[in-house]
Amino acid sequence: MDSKVNRRIVVAERPRYAVPTANVFQLESSPIPKPQDAEVLIRTTWLGLDPYLYGRVKHVSHQAQPVPLGDVMVGPTVGRVEVSYRSDFNEGDLVEGFWGWQDYAISDGSRIAKLDPELERPSHALGALGVSGFGAWLAVDRLAKVQRGETLTFGAACGGLGSMVGQIGKLRGARVIGVAGTAEKCRFAVEKLGFDACINRHAEHYESELREEYARNGVHCYVMAIGGRMFELAMPYFHLHARIAVCGLMASYSMQSLPDGPDRTMVLLNEINLRRLQVSGLVTLDYLGTPEQEQFRREMKAWIRERKVLPLEHVVEGLEKAPEMMQGLFEGKNFGKAVVHVAD
């Protein structure tokens, strides 16, 4: 790799398919930017990939302004200060921010923060101690309000969010039922992460096996990141006053219109009414910089240090692999929080 250039992955086109394919992005090279007074030059070391970033490449997004065509793809990042013309940052400092998919970036000191020196791995700032872990903590503790002895269920059990939801749920004393895309992931979730059950959604008897698990104790709490058929299967087993935390609807991110078939909105609303379900939406970014985030960081750091939580990472080597891995998130190819190792 030529260290004298700045490789940048830009948004080249809007998605044309059901998932954001790697063709949406394009790798370009430009001179390394030069910091001016009161600025720092950052060398990117890690990128974090999340399904919610799909909303930043679509033509229209309800959460944030889409990235303009030709601009660097945004995303959570960790890097090292290479040059500093600021008194609050020194050369060699590790920092985190949102400067996106590029080797180098300039900052005026805003929207970046020094990395917590207590982290075992810098990449944990993007996963277990980043938006994924924080979102899981909020969903379990603040929205679903999981209590000891209750049953908690969720999808993508070995993803960045799901692996954290399950582990936090176990720490809160819940019976945890996850769903994943392979038998290998399900074995890992049970044997290594401590989940009570994990059902392979591609197995021949997936629906009957999941119903059997739900029938054991009903469902008190549901953390939704995928949506789709799993939610339909859980619905008959919700207890009165069950809590549903909606963190995402990955199964429908690429939909341009409502699905074909009868409108089931009134059926869903009727179930919400009859069962007194509490349905709450969660956008983790709303809670950044709040006292809740500080409490989360204290708890998560202690859990990781005491080996009560295992941060699960899917590491990809090389900036140029980011587009392919972004597509892979929607194809279930990640085994843990997807992070890209860009440089040491």
Side-chain angles (χ1 to χ4, degrees), residues 209-231:
E209 290 178 6
L210 191 57
R211 288 194 186 99
E212 182 178 345
E213 287 296 335
Y214 288 161
R216 294 180 190 275
N217 195 36
V219 175
H220 301 86
C221 307
Y222 184 108
V223 175
M224 182 185 299
I226 307 296
R229 183 59 175 157
M230 181 184 172
F231 179 66

Side-chain angles (χ1 to χ4, degrees), residues 137 140-141 146-149 152 163-176 193-196 299-300 302-304 306-310:
W137 185 88
V140 172
D141 274 10
V146 174
Q147 304 297 312
R148 182 170 296 278
L152 165 67
S163 63
M164 290 290 108
V165 166
Q167 293 184 83
I168 296 171
K170 289 300 297 180
L171 288 169
R172 298 309 189 213
R175 181 171 183 269
V176 167
L193 301 182
F195 297 178
D196 295 280
E299 291 193 9
M300 183 58 70
W303 288 336
I304 294 173
E306 297 165 7
R307 301 296 186 259
K308 293 180 178 179
V309 164
L310 171 65

Side-chain angles (χ1 to χ4, degrees), residues 9 11 17 30 80 107 122 133 146 170 183 232 238 244 256-257 283 331 337:
I9 295 179
V11 178
Y17 308 104
S30 63
R80 182 180 59 253
S107 172
V146 174
K170 289 300 297 180
E232 295 177 2
F238 283 136
I244 303 169
Q256 301 298 317
S257 60
V283 176
E331 298 170 343
K337 167 69 181 186

Side-chain angles (χ1 to χ4, degrees), residues 4-319:
K4 297 181 180 180
V5 300
N6 182 31
R7 297 176 304 159
R8 308 161 66 248
I9 295 179
V10 302
V11 178
E13 63 177 58
R14 301 302 177 195
R16 293 177 288 173
Y17 308 104
V19 298
T21 64
N23 293 334
V24 168
F25 307 100
Q26 181 176 316
L27 179 63
E28 297 182 346
S29 294
S30 63
I32 297 176
K34 295 182 179 180
Q36 305 299 316
D37 289 343
E39 292 182 334
V40 297
L41 174 67
I42 303 169
R43 175 64 161 107
T44 305
T45 55
W46 293 92
L47 305 177
L49 304 182
D50 295 281
Y52 78 84
L53 292 175
Y54 181 38
R56 302 302 298 272
V57 299
K58 294 195 300 182
H59 181 67
V60 176
S61 172
H62 297 293
Q63 287 192 9
Q65 185 69 26
V67 177
L69 294 179
D71 280 12
V72 173
M73 177 58 187
V74 298
T77 37
V78 166
R80 182 180 59 253
V81 175
E82 295 267 300
V83 179
S84 177
Y85 296 131
R86 296 184 58 86
S87 61
D88 49 350
F89 291 96
N90 298 316
E91 293 181 9
D93 283 347
L94 292 178
V95 295
E96 59 180 316
F98 206 75
W99 58 83
W101 299 7
Q102 54 187 330
D103 283 320
Y104 294 90
I106 296 290
S107 172
D108 63 2
S110 63
R111 302 191 66 188
I112 64 171
K114 292 182 181 180
L115 212 61
D116 188 333
E118 295 182 358
L119 295 189
E120 292 187 9
R121 285 172 56 92
S123 55
H124 287 175
L126 303 172
L129 278 152
V131 171
S132 299
F134 188 27
W137 185 88
L138 287 166
V140 172
D141 274 10
R142 294 298 188 265
L143 275 71
K145 300 177 182 176
V146 174
Q147 304 297 312
R148 182 170 296 278
E150 293 186 330
T151 294
L152 165 67
T153 189
F154 51 93
C158 283
L161 179 75
S163 63
M164 290 290 108
V165 166
Q167 293 184 83
I168 296 171
K170 289 300 297 180
L171 288 169
R172 298 309 189 213
R175 181 171 183 269
V176 167
I177 302 172
V179 169
T182 68
E184 179 188 10
K185 290 179 178 179
C186 283
R187 282 194 299 271
F188 187 93
V190 173
E191 296 174 6
K192 301 298 183 180
L193 301 182
F195 297 178
D196 295 280
C198 185
I199 310 300
N200 176 9
R201 62 185 175 87
H202 293 301
E204 180 180 359
H205 302 294
Y206 158 63
E207 294 194 4
S208 60
E209 290 178 6
L210 191 57
R211 288 194 186 99
E212 182 178 345
E213 287 296 335
Y214 288 161
R216 294 180 190 275
N217 195 36
V219 175
H220 301 86
C221 307
Y222 184 108
V223 175
M224 182 185 299
I226 307 296
R229 183 59 175 157
M230 181 184 172
F231 179 66
E232 295 177 2
L233 293 172
M235 180 66 76
Y237 300 95
F238 283 136
H239 284 276
L240 287 177
H241 307 289
R243 286 87 67 197
I244 303 169
V246 183
C247 304
L249 293 166
M250 195 171 174
S252 63
Y253 278 176
S254 58
M255 290 173 53
Q256 301 298 317
S257 60
L258 293 175
D260 294 334
D263 184 352
R264 302 184 63 188
T265 303
M266 299 309 297
V267 174
L268 174 60
L269 292 175
N270 188 55
E271 289 294 314
I272 291 173
N273 183 42
L274 292 178
R275 298 175 189 270
R276 290 72 142 181
L277 302 179
Q278 299 175 30
V279 183
S280 304
L282 173 63
V283 176
T284 307
L285 301 181
D286 292 345
Y287 291 83
L288 297 183
T290 64
E292 284 92 345
Q293 188 177 24
E294 291 306 311
Q295 181 181 346
F296 153 71
R297 284 175 170 168
R298 288 194 298 271
E299 291 193 9
M300 183 58 70
K301 283 195 296 184
W303 288 336
I304 294 173
R305 184 174 59 250
E306 297 165 7
R307 301 296 186 259
K308 293 180 178 179
V309 164
L310 171 65
L312 186 59
E313 293 185 332
H314 183 107
V315 180
V316 176
E317 293 289 340
L319 175 69

